[in-house]
Amino acid sequence: MVKIIVDAMGGDNAPEAPILGAVEALSRDPELSVLFTGDRETVEKVLAGTSYPADRVEIRHTTEVIENEEHDPATAVRDKRDSSMVVGCALVKAKEADGMVSAGNTGALLSAATLFTGRIPGVQRPVLSVALPSGEIPTLLLDVGANMDAKSVCLVQFAKMSTIYMRKRYGLESPTVGLLNVGTEPGKGNAQAKEA
């Protein structure tokens, strides 16, 4: 059984979207269990309108929410210790779950994940990835909002991490790696892209 934390309060369409998405995932995967973090009453109200496997759902009550409009996401993580996002990250660190999903504030999520789970030794910056459907094996798109000005060394590290991920997850021995840029001609792009 894999247990995933779902930040029920994070995102533009929360709490409905993350909760309903988790319920759908539960219906598709009998080996999945979900631990919702968020206001218990709110989560229970949304769940009441669904058919979900109660034996594979838990709720951890929290009293705070990190909003998408937070002025300083890192400060929000420090100040809102009882938020659905921060509590979720702490539970992953405590090994009470195998992973976490949040559609909440990107900067806060990266701050909380880095604070609680740390970085891989030698990796300078964390990176967000999205698997884009593209046939049997998805295309993995990295750095989707995490870093506004990634250094070239970080771009190279992202490429290495994505290569390892695609090997381990999909069995691709030599995945193709590309760098999105403003053109294909030599000399195009900013300094970081050219150096990478």
Side-chain angles (χ1 to χ4, degrees):
M1 188 70 68
V2 174
K3 183 186 284 187
I4 300 296
I5 293 171
V6 174
D7 173 6
M9 311 311 284
D12 292 334
N13 298 310
E16 291 81 7
I19 295 171
L20 296 177
V23 168
E24 183 174 335
L26 286 163
S27 73
R28 294 181 184 198
D29 187 349
E31 296 298 314
L32 175 65
S33 69
V34 171
L35 192 163
F36 291 106
T37 55
D39 177 72
R40 180 179 299 279
E41 186 178 326
T42 301
V43 173
E44 288 174 345
K45 186 176 180 181
V46 175
L47 283 172
T50 70
S51 175
Y52 69 95
D55 61 326
R56 293 189 286 137
V57 171
E58 297 175 57
I59 302 169
R60 185 68 55 98
H61 179 69
T62 62
T63 60
E64 296 176 297
V65 175
I66 294 179
E67 304 290 343
N68 282 339
E69 297 78 24
E70 299 284 348
H71 177 67
D72 180 0
T75 299
V77 167
R78 285 191 300 274
D79 292 348
K80 295 184 175 183
R81 292 297 205 172
D82 197 41
S83 66
S84 53
M85 184 184 291
V86 172
V87 169
C89 286
L91 291 170
V92 171
K93 181 180 182 180
K95 301 199 183 309
E96 291 189 41
D98 299 298
M100 179 176 157
V101 174
S102 176
N105 183 303
T106 305
L109 182 59
L110 272 174
S111 293
T114 303
L115 176 68
F116 285 98
T117 61
R119 287 187 222 137
I120 297 168
V123 173
Q124 292 186 15
R125 303 273 311 165
V127 65
L128 295 178
S129 65
V130 173
L132 301 173
S134 59
E136 230 176 273
I137 298 174
T139 296
L140 190 66
L141 182 63
L142 271 72
D143 202 28
V144 291
N147 299 288
M148 297 310 288
D149 284 312
K151 296 177 183 173
S152 58
V153 67
C154 294
L155 295 175
V156 172
Q157 289 178 351
F158 300 165
K160 289 178 180 178
M161 288 187 288
S162 65
T163 298
I164 292 167
Y165 176 84
M166 294 303 282
R167 282 183 187 148
K168 298 286 185 187
R169 175 66 176 89
Y170 297 103
L172 289 177
E173 263 317 297
S174 298
T176 300
V177 176
L179 177 63
L180 293 179
N181 201 355
V182 296
T184 59
E185 302 86 0
K188 286 270 186 144
N190 62 25
Q192 295 95 321
K194 289 178 194 176
E195 188 176 343

